[in-house]
Amino acid sequence: MHWRRLNNAVHRDLGYFFFGLTVIYAVSGVAVNHLHQWNPNYHIERRTLPVDGAGVRVTTEAEAQTLLRQLGIDGKLRSFLPAPGGGTQIFVDDDVLTVSPADGTAVWEQARPRPLLYPMNFLHLNHPKKAWTWMADIYAVGLAILAGTGLFVLKGRNGISGRGAVLSLAGLALPALFWLLYL
């Protein structure tokens, strides 16, 4: 088999095989790049609830349970601890109640996983570890092979000996420029 035909076949087949992972990593990458603007893993709903008595202080588990019952909050009490400003944070399942005795309110924050982004980010950030680490490594090597074989798909003035060389050098210069700017 001619080397260019083999190169094109490898490039094509790896492209098809890694299509799904590429979409997952692309979508998750954009989402994770904007962590400072939003939470890509969870939708957080906040509600302010009135608490009886401006001097409410939660210092025991029993007091925390009583307050949760008064506010109609169900779930398993995991823990509680002092919050900034003299209040208390009460952790119930995956949610948080922050009690502010100074103004007699409590903020109830319920976190729900985003249906598609949570699992995409879970894989992209390698939370599963174990076998997924190997899959992520295989994907990284596959991307390197895709990049290398992509250089030789076209020939002539649109290939690596013409326009492709200029674009490839520009593609190398861009991260190098940012690297120099951020050092």
Side-chain angles (χ1 to χ4, degrees), residues 72-160:
I73 295 173
D74 295 323
K76 181 179 182 227
L77 174 67
R78 287 195 349 238
S79 65
F80 65 95
L81 53 92
T88 305
Q89 286 187 310
I90 302 171
F91 299 91
V92 179
D93 295 327
D94 292 330
D95 306 321
V96 180
L97 179 71
T98 303
V99 181
S100 176
D103 60 8
T105 62
V107 176
W108 179 234
E109 294 182 2
Q110 293 180 288
R112 299 295 171 256
R114 295 188 188 274
L116 289 175
L117 282 176
Y118 180 83
M120 287 179 170
N121 294 336
F122 185 79
L123 294 176
H124 186 158
L125 299 173
N126 194 18
H127 289 298
K129 306 288 185 225
K130 301 178 185 167
W132 187 254
T133 299
W134 287 100
M135 186 62 226
D137 290 346
I138 290 167
Y139 177 60
V141 169
L143 285 179
I145 294 170
L146 270 169
T149 57
L151 294 173
F152 303 103
V153 168
L154 298 176
K155 46 183 168 172
R157 63 185 173 106
N158 289 325
I160 194 65

Side-chain angles (χ1 to χ4, degrees), residues 24-41 117 121 124-125:
I24 287 172
Y25 276 77
V27 171
S28 174
V30 170
V32 171
N33 280 343
H34 296 276
L35 279 172
H36 62 286
Q37 295 169 320
W38 72 310
N39 185 331
N41 288 319
L117 282 176
N121 294 336
H124 186 158
L125 299 173

Side-chain angles (χ1 to χ4, degrees), residues 9-93:
V10 168
H11 184 79
R12 178 198 64 224
D13 292 347
L14 283 178
Y16 286 143
F17 183 75
F18 287 125
F19 170 77
L21 279 175
T22 302
V23 170
I24 287 172
Y25 276 77
V27 171
S28 174
V30 170
V32 171
N33 280 343
H34 296 276
L35 279 172
H36 62 286
Q37 295 169 320
W38 72 310
N39 185 331
N41 288 319
Y42 296 95
H43 170 73
I44 300 175
E45 182 183 327
R46 290 178 179 85
R47 289 185 292 148
T48 301
L49 306 169
V51 178
D52 289 338
V56 172
R57 295 233 187 268
V58 178
T59 58
T60 66
E61 187 174 324
E63 291 172 342
Q65 293 283 11
T66 300
L67 180 60
L68 292 173
R69 274 193 304 279
Q70 286 175 354
L71 296 174
I73 295 173
D74 295 323
K76 181 179 182 227
L77 174 67
R78 287 195 349 238
S79 65
F80 65 95
L81 53 92
T88 305
Q89 286 187 310
I90 302 171
F91 299 91
V92 179
D93 295 327

